Amino acid sequence: AAGVIQSPRHLIKEKRETATLKCYPIPRHDTVYWYQQGPGQDPQFLISFYEKMQSDKGSIPDRFSAQQFSDYHSELNMSSLELGDSALYFCASSPEGTGSNTEAFFGQGTRLTVV
Amino acid sequence: AQSVTQPDIHITVSEGASLELRCNYSYGATPYLFWYVQSPGQGLQLLLKYFSGDTLVQGIKGFEAEFKRSQSSFNLRKPSVHWSDAAEYFCAVGGRDNDMRFGAGTRLTVKP
């Protein structure tokens, strides 16, 4: 069965650079969530999209932005990277509308290392 | 705002022993509750979920969890732990129109 695809799997960037993380949800899933998991930390919700519109916002820094495209894939753009941005970034998708009243399926994550 | 507390940061059990991982939540309405498992360097896999109905839910890999509204708890249990169960376990809470919030996680170590 198709799963959530995230690319790249690993990314190394220098401080003050920009990074773009991509997420391809499961087909027919219209809701996408982004989470950040620091080393030894629990996943922290960043932002979510439903039908290409932002549906909820968590602890996402102003340096980050995201969008969902017409094909439902999503991109997380991170600028002016800081060492503290090094983390595992998860994307998840769920079907049939907003909210966690349906099951969210997680991707394998993108490991971002800022040096 | 919803929140989740997992009181135990690290638990060690012997293979074949029973397991209970604790989860307490705070939520203003009927919560949707989840348990996820994460192996090192891997994504999050859903073990089970509770939306409504029977308060004892069965999940994959022999796990079950019981929703106790009076105690605001959703503890995860397994009668006999296998070495392959060693991982990080996350409890999460959400609602109809809210995204999930995760607990800090409990790391499970299984002794031979």
Side-chain angles (χ1 to χ4, degrees):
Chain A
V4 177
I5 306 297
Q6 290 188 246
S7 69
R9 289 294 308 278
H10 301 273
L11 189 60
I12 299 176
K13 290 284 187 179
E14 295 188 354
K15 284 193 303 184
R16 292 180 289 280
E17 282 193 318
T18 299
T20 297
L21 279 53
K22 297 184 179 181
C23 170
Y24 298 87
I26 292 171
R28 292 180 294 282
H29 283 198
D30 52 16
T31 305
V32 169
Y33 315 82
W34 285 97
Y35 288 84
Q36 177 193 57
Q37 186 180 28
Q41 303 294 314
D42 58 298
Q44 295 291 318
F45 170 67
L46 292 178
I47 195 166
S48 63
F49 292 87
Y50 165 61
E51 283 291 343
K52 295 151 278 185
M53 299 290 289
Q54 181 181 309
S55 59
D56 197 4
K57 196 171 183 180
S59 52
I60 184 169
D62 292 340
R63 298 177 290 107
F64 294 5
S65 65
Q67 58 182 322
Q68 187 179 30
F69 294 86
S70 58
D71 63 351
Y72 296 105
H73 94 273
S74 179
E75 295 184 3
L76 177 65
N77 298 292
M78 310 158 72
S79 62
S80 303
L81 286 169
E82 302 174 357
L83 295 178
D85 296 329
S86 296
L88 193 56
Y89 290 82
F90 286 109
C91 172
S93 73
S94 67
E96 300 175 10
T98 59
S100 52
N101 56 344
T102 56
E103 178 179 333
F105 295 81
F106 282 80
Q108 295 272 31
T110 294
R111 182 168 297 283
L112 172 67
T113 303
V114 181
V115 298
Chain B
Q2 70 258 42
S3 66
V4 177
T5 302
Q6 292 180 248
D8 304 304
I9 296 173
H10 187 198
I11 284 182
T12 301
V13 299
S14 298
E15 190 168 15
S18 64
L19 171 71
E20 182 169 27
L21 301 182
R22 295 183 291 166
C23 172
N24 294 98
Y25 68 90
S26 173
Y27 194 72
T30 301
Y32 296 95
L33 295 159
F34 309 82
W35 274 100
Y36 283 86
V37 60
Q38 183 180 33
S39 297
Q42 299 299 309
L44 294 158
Q45 182 183 21
L46 181 70
L47 288 175
L48 48 78
K49 61 191 175 188
Y50 171 78
F51 290 162
S52 64
D54 193 348
T55 56
L56 183 64
V57 293
Q58 302 296 321
I60 62 171
K61 304 184 179 184
F63 285 93
E64 66 177 27
E66 186 171 12
F67 171 58
K68 293 185 177 180
R69 185 186 298 275
S70 61
Q71 299 177 18
S72 297
S73 69
F74 189 57
N75 294 348
L76 181 72
R77 300 193 294 251
K78 186 169 184 177
S80 178
V81 170
H82 188 262
W83 65 265
S84 61
D85 293 325
E88 187 92 17
Y89 290 81
F90 291 97
C91 181
V93 65
R96 182 177 179 82
D97 297 313
N98 298 109
D99 300 294
M100 282 185 293
R101 298 296 188 268
F102 287 84
T106 298
R107 179 169 298 281
L108 174 65
T109 298
V110 180
K111 293 190 301 184

